[in-house]
Amino acid sequence: MAKVALLIGVSEYEPGLNPLPASVKDMQAIAKVLQHPEMGDFAQTDIQKLENPDPQKMQEAMETLFSDRRKDDLVVLYFSGHGIKDESGKLHLATRVTRKNPQGRLIKSTTVPASFVHNIMSDSHCKRQVVILDCCFSGAFAEGWLAKDDGSLDIRAELGGEGRVVLTSSTATEYSFQQQEENLSIYTRYLIEGIETGAADLDNDGAVSVDELHEYAKRKVQKAAPAMQPEIYAVKEGFKILLSKAPIGDPKLKYRKEVEIYASRGEISIIGRRILDALRQNLGLLPEETAAIEAEVLKPYREYQQKLQQYEQALVDAIGREQTLSDYTRNDLRRYQEILGLRDEDIVSIETRISPKNGSFPFPDKVTAFKSIFRKYDVPVKLPNKVVAVLRYPRVMIGAGVFATVVLTFSSLVKPPDVSVTTQPNPAESSTPVTSPTVSPTTEMSAKEFHDRGLDKSNKKDYKGAIEDFNEVLRLDPNFTIAYYNRGYARSKLKDYKEAIEDLNQYIRVNPNDAGGYLNRGFAYYNLDNYKQAIIDYNEAIQINSNYALAYNNRGNAYADQGNYEQAISDYTKAIEFKNDPLSFPYQNRGDARRDLGDYKGAIEDYNQAIIIDPNYVKAYNNRGLAYRNLKDYKKAIDDYTQAIRIDSNAAYAYHNRGNARSILKDKQGAIADYQKAADLYQQQGKTKLYQQSLEKLKELQK
């Protein structure tokens, strides 16, 4: 297997196209981490670097990269520079000679079209292809270049393919965003940080896959420049291509990941400070080492605050010059906002706080833009003031919104000859009614009525009926995004996890800061046995809400199912610590992990706590019985199995486990009765394998 890379940086351009000083530096920095033996481990001779190439040299190098490759080779193409769309909307990568003709049209022969890249990739035998584009699709052109840019570009169609993954720094088409004070562009900077520090190894398996790297960089980028929306497009195996190595057991990396948790709001709390100080001493790190790590983790938050201050100062200066802001000044402010990477909702509070009394701020088109979240109708809409305020603050809208009633379910994990049960809570839910705008047209009210009826059906466990209603909501109003969330929940309840993930993808795309969306999607991935992706989603939920007990619990389950019990115990412990009202299932799950590690006494202590919180917790009694059985205290084990059966007479696993204990104590008749009852229940429940296990036990005793 060979690993080869072509890295291209274009910083110098013809007049009419802005220079990008960071692009060549991006290329050189990527080369450094890829060829590092403890990171990318690419041979230096297998990395080609092109600095400000012309089209012919760039195309020849690309063709050479993908030619004569074996199926298991890893091929990486990296480009930092301008991306340009022609008049038909096709993507072109700019070279140092890219320019337009006197009529203002792109001279395509001065570029490398995406179609050329697609063709040579498709012709290649290699099935592990990674493309990283650190560019925007239109670039920062002089006036006239963007006149025909409609903002649409299908990267999947342009560069997609089997075993292929394409990473893009932004979906924006209006401008090319590079920070003037930085040596590297923002997206590449965080790609490199993720590889260099190992922090992009989100599931702690010692390797950084492409999706993990992108997820890490995306999260960092959006903290510093929320308007930027890095994207990843992959087909088949593309997501899981391994790009670099990551250290295991490195104290600095462990400390960094803890800082990520306690600094998720841009500052470290008082309790978080104490936790980190204690951790530093436990890990044997120097204060200056941990201070450097904290500064790096907090950097995107501080950049974001600095940009808000810069925008506020620009607005203050503008108002100082003009009592009523002209359209020209407003357009300049809008452009400055874009260059800073700020969204409309980021600056609303600034505009509200310092706007002049004459009502020239906020921009009148801002509220109109948010109205489209709820409707696309020709009839006029009257939104009350309270609703307008909510629309200006989308996170408030999501926080006030609600999805269904809290219900906990349990997934049974078989560990012959005994049966243990691990608890996995349902997706995040709440019990507050959904906040929807009050409107006059009957069309939108119909969408709301369908949504409310769907919620009612979901609460009554009529999930098929709920899905039908949510389908109607989205047919009437595709921007009623909360319906995607609730339909995803209903589909999860029906174990249609793939479709649930599709719905939650739609929801998260509009609401990237809602931890519940990531928790629910992680739950769906978990049930598809895709633990790695589940962990990535739980990580994201925890990044948004560092006290999210359910996310810690569920991530613990994913680690436990991979055999990483120590990490699972750490997560269950945090779930216990971060929940004001004690939950029973993190104690049970931690008990299971301790039992798997042979710490049976510690497991019993946890099961005791679970039972104190919930005296009718059938699974806790059953699993405590297993721990007593491991300690060969069979009488106490039987007592626990019996208590589980008293609470739930259909707990087949408790009958089976009690039969095991009775068999060991030579209570043959009691064991036969238990195995028979377990077999009958398993048969009624349609659990064929467990039914067969109980029958086999029964036959052994009846010989």
Side-chain angles (χ1 to χ4, degrees):
M1 179 194 77
K3 298 197 296 184
V4 294
L6 172 61
L7 314 177
I8 303 169
V10 185
S11 292
E12 300 172 1
Y13 294 95
E14 293 286 310
L17 193 59
N18 292 342
L20 299 175
S23 291
V24 169
K25 297 174 184 177
D26 288 343
M27 174 263 293
Q28 294 167 342
I30 286 285
K32 183 178 178 181
V33 295
L34 287 184
Q35 67 189 36
H36 194 290
E38 299 301 321
M39 298 176 196
D41 198 26
F42 282 63
Q44 188 171 354
T45 55
D46 289 331
I47 296 178
Q48 182 182 5
K49 295 179 286 185
L50 287 185
E51 182 176 331
N52 300 316
D54 59 36
Q56 182 176 352
K57 188 173 183 179
M58 197 160 145
Q59 288 182 339
E60 286 179 357
M62 289 177 171
E63 192 163 3
T64 301
L65 177 70
F66 289 99
S67 298
D68 300 323
R69 296 297 170 201
R70 295 191 298 271
K71 183 176 180 180
D72 61 349
D73 287 348
L74 170 61
V75 176
V76 177
L77 172 61
Y78 171 87
F79 174 82
S80 178
H82 279 303
I84 309 169
K85 289 171 60 180
D86 62 20
E87 57 272 16
S88 62
K90 299 297 183 182
L91 174 66
H92 296 254
L93 303 181
T95 72
R96 65 177 174 83
V97 298
T98 297
R99 60 189 185 277
K100 61 180 180 179
N101 64 22
Q103 289 74 41
R105 292 190 176 185
L106 176 67
I107 302 177
K108 298 176 184 178
S109 60
T110 65
T111 72
V112 174
S115 58
F116 171 81
V117 184
H118 178 272
N119 290 337
I120 60 174
M121 292 172 73
S122 298
D123 291 340
S124 177
H125 295 297
C126 174
K127 299 301 180 184
R128 295 196 300 159
Q129 304 174 1
V130 180
V131 177
I132 303 174
L133 302 177
D134 194 346
C135 61
C136 51
F137 305 132
S138 57
F141 289 94
E143 186 176 354
W145 283 80
L146 293 178
K148 295 189 177 181
D149 186 352
D150 61 2
S152 62
L153 183 65
D154 189 348
I155 282 290
R156 189 185 298 274
E158 290 285 299
L159 290 175
E162 181 181 1
R164 183 176 302 163
V165 60
V166 182
L167 279 64
T168 65
S169 60
S170 179
T171 60
T173 59
E174 290 78 18
Y175 59 92
S176 178
F177 180 70
Q178 292 195 356
Q179 293 176 284
Q180 294 179 357
E181 72 275 13
E182 293 292 338
N183 290 325
L184 303 177
S185 64
I186 187 169
Y187 183 56
T188 293
R189 189 215 314 174
Y190 288 120
L191 290 176
I192 290 169
E193 180 180 289
I195 294 174
E196 276 188 331
T197 63
D201 178 15
L202 301 182
D203 62 357
N204 301 313
D205 66 350
V208 176
S209 58
V210 175
D211 60 332
E212 288 180 308
L213 181 60
H214 176 76
E215 191 67 30
Y216 177 84
K218 176 181 178 180
R219 188 166 61 219
K220 292 288 189 176
V221 165
Q222 291 186 326
K223 286 182 173 69
M228 287 186 67
Q229 296 288 332
E231 296 289 345
I232 182 170
Y233 306 87
V235 180
K236 294 187 178 180
E237 304 90 349
F239 279 117
K240 299 306 173 188
I241 294 174
L242 299 181
L243 196 57
S244 68
K245 297 184 285 187
I248 296 179
D250 178 29
K252 289 184 180 180
L253 179 55
K254 185 172 183 178
Y255 187 83
R256 171 184 285 272
K257 291 192 174 184
E258 290 294 318
V259 175
E260 295 274 5
I261 294 171
Y262 295 108
S264 62
R265 293 174 183 158
E267 60 182 5
I268 298 172
S269 66
I270 296 174
I271 301 301
R273 178 76 274 153
R274 290 180 178 273
I275 292 171
L276 292 174
D277 287 345
L279 181 63
R280 173 180 62 78
Q281 294 178 359
N282 292 341
L283 295 174
L285 295 173
L286 298 173
E288 53 267 31
E289 291 176 320
T290 55
I293 292 171
E294 290 174 17
E296 198 168 58
V297 170
L298 290 169
K299 186 174 183 179
Y301 299 99
R302 290 168 179 167
E303 288 177 350
Y304 172 66
Q305 292 300 323
Q306 186 179 38
K307 289 170 185 171
L308 291 178
Q309 293 170 9
Q310 290 172 342
Y311 181 84
E312 181 171 341
Q313 186 58 52
L315 181 57
V316 169
D317 292 345
I319 293 174
R321 295 191 192 96
E322 302 177 15
Q323 186 174 1
T324 300
L325 297 183
S326 65
D327 289 341
Y328 180 84
T329 300
R330 292 188 185 200
N331 289 334
D332 283 350
L333 284 168
R334 174 72 72 182
R335 175 63 177 160
Y336 190 46
Q337 173 193 341
E338 291 175 346
I339 291 175
L340 291 174
L342 297 174
R343 303 164 299 177
D344 287 347
E345 54 264 42
D346 296 319
I347 62 172
V348 164
S349 61
I350 296 173
E351 294 171 348
T352 302
R353 187 173 69 254
I354 66 173
S355 62
K357 300 293 185 180
N358 59 26
S360 61
F361 271 85
F363 292 120
D365 60 328
K366 289 215 176 125
V367 175
T368 304
F370 280 116
K371 288 179 185 177
S372 66
I373 293 175
F374 290 92
R375 63 187 308 281
K376 278 188 178 179
Y377 305 110
D378 295 331
V379 291
V381 176
K382 181 179 180 181
L383 293 174
N385 293 334
K386 183 176 179 181
V387 173
V388 173
V390 170
L391 294 179
R392 286 176 178 168
Y393 295 89
R395 292 188 64 178
V396 175
M397 179 184 69
I398 297 304
V402 155
F403 319 124
T405 309
V406 175
V407 180
L408 300 180
T409 61
F410 307 96
S411 58
S412 298
L413 302 178
V414 183
K415 296 181 181 178
D418 297 304
V419 181
S420 171
V421 182
T422 297
T423 305
Q424 173 88 354
N426 246 350
E429 303 153 29
S430 175
S431 56
T432 311
V434 174
T435 300
S436 299
T438 302
V439 293
S440 55
T442 56
T443 306
E444 185 165 8
M445 287 301 295
S446 295
K448 180 184 181 299
E449 288 170 356
F450 273 119
H451 184 261
D452 291 346
R453 193 174 73 177
L455 281 180
D456 184 60
K457 289 180 178 179
S458 186
N459 288 334
K460 294 175 180 177
K461 300 185 179 181
D462 178 12
Y463 301 116
K464 290 184 179 179
I467 290 170
E468 291 174 359
D469 280 344
F470 295 140
N471 289 344
E472 285 300 304
V473 173
L474 294 169
R475 181 183 67 80
L476 291 169
D477 185 357
N479 293 315
F480 206 121
T481 53
I482 199 68
Y484 284 111
Y485 186 109
N486 290 320
R487 189 173 68 179
Y489 166 79
R491 284 172 165 170
S492 281
K493 295 296 292 183
L494 293 176
K495 299 184 179 181
D496 187 0
Y497 299 116
K498 291 184 178 179
E499 291 299 321
I501 288 169
E502 289 299 317
D503 276 340
L504 291 165
N505 286 344
Q506 293 290 336
Y507 177 76
I508 290 170
R509 191 169 292 119
V510 179
N511 302 283
N513 294 318
D514 181 19
Y518 294 101
L519 182 82
N520 291 4
R521 192 172 68 180
F523 178 84
Y525 278 121
Y526 174 88
N527 282 281
L528 291 173
D529 297 331
N530 188 345
Y531 303 125
K532 188 171 186 178
Q533 190 60 47
I535 288 170
I536 290 173
D537 274 346
Y538 295 144
N539 288 345
E540 187 66 33
I542 290 166
Q543 284 294 322
I544 295 169
N545 180 0
S546 61
N547 296 334
Y548 206 165
L550 289 180
Y552 283 108
N553 178 83
N554 290 8
R555 190 174 71 176
N557 287 345
Y559 281 127
D561 283 3
Q562 295 180 97
N564 189 348
Y565 300 116
E566 291 182 353
Q567 184 65 50
I569 288 171
S570 175
D571 274 349
Y572 295 140
T573 300
K574 288 173 181 173
I576 292 166
E577 291 173 350
F578 289 141
K579 189 64 179 177
N580 293 331
D581 298 323
L583 297 174
S584 54
F585 53 81
Y587 281 107
Q588 184 207 292
N589 291 338
R590 189 173 70 177
D592 291 344
R594 284 175 166 169
R595 187 164 53 82
D596 286 324
L597 288 174
D599 180 11
Y600 305 123
K601 292 183 179 179
I604 289 170
E605 290 176 2
D606 277 338
Y607 297 137
N608 291 343
Q609 288 297 319
I611 291 168
I612 289 171
I613 296 169
D614 182 0
N616 293 318
Y617 199 168
V618 176
K619 281 76 180 178
Y621 283 108
N622 177 79
N623 291 10
R624 188 173 69 176
L626 294 180
Y628 279 127
R629 181 187 183 280
N630 291 131
L631 291 172
K632 299 185 178 180
D633 191 341
Y634 303 112
K635 290 184 179 180
K636 285 187 177 180
I638 289 172
D639 288 343
D640 273 345
Y641 300 141
T642 301
Q643 183 60 28
I645 292 166
R646 285 197 191 104
I647 298 169
D648 182 5
S649 60
N650 292 317
Y653 48 84
Y655 282 105
H656 182 99
N657 292 340
R658 190 172 69 177
N660 288 340
R662 284 176 166 173
S663 179
I664 292 170
L665 292 177
K666 307 300 183 184
D667 179 6
K668 184 175 180 180
Q669 294 306 313
I672 288 174
D674 279 340
Y675 287 137
Q676 183 64 62
K677 183 65 175 179
D680 292 344
L681 288 171
Y682 281 137
Q683 188 176 38
Q684 293 170 18
Q685 295 163 6
K687 298 176 180 178
T688 307
K689 289 184 179 180
L690 296 175
Y691 166 69
Q692 292 294 336
Q693 288 179 13
S694 294
L695 275 187
E696 289 172 5
K697 287 285 188 179
L698 188 60
K699 290 176 182 178
E700 288 176 7
L701 290 177
Q702 290 176 334
K703 288 180 181 178

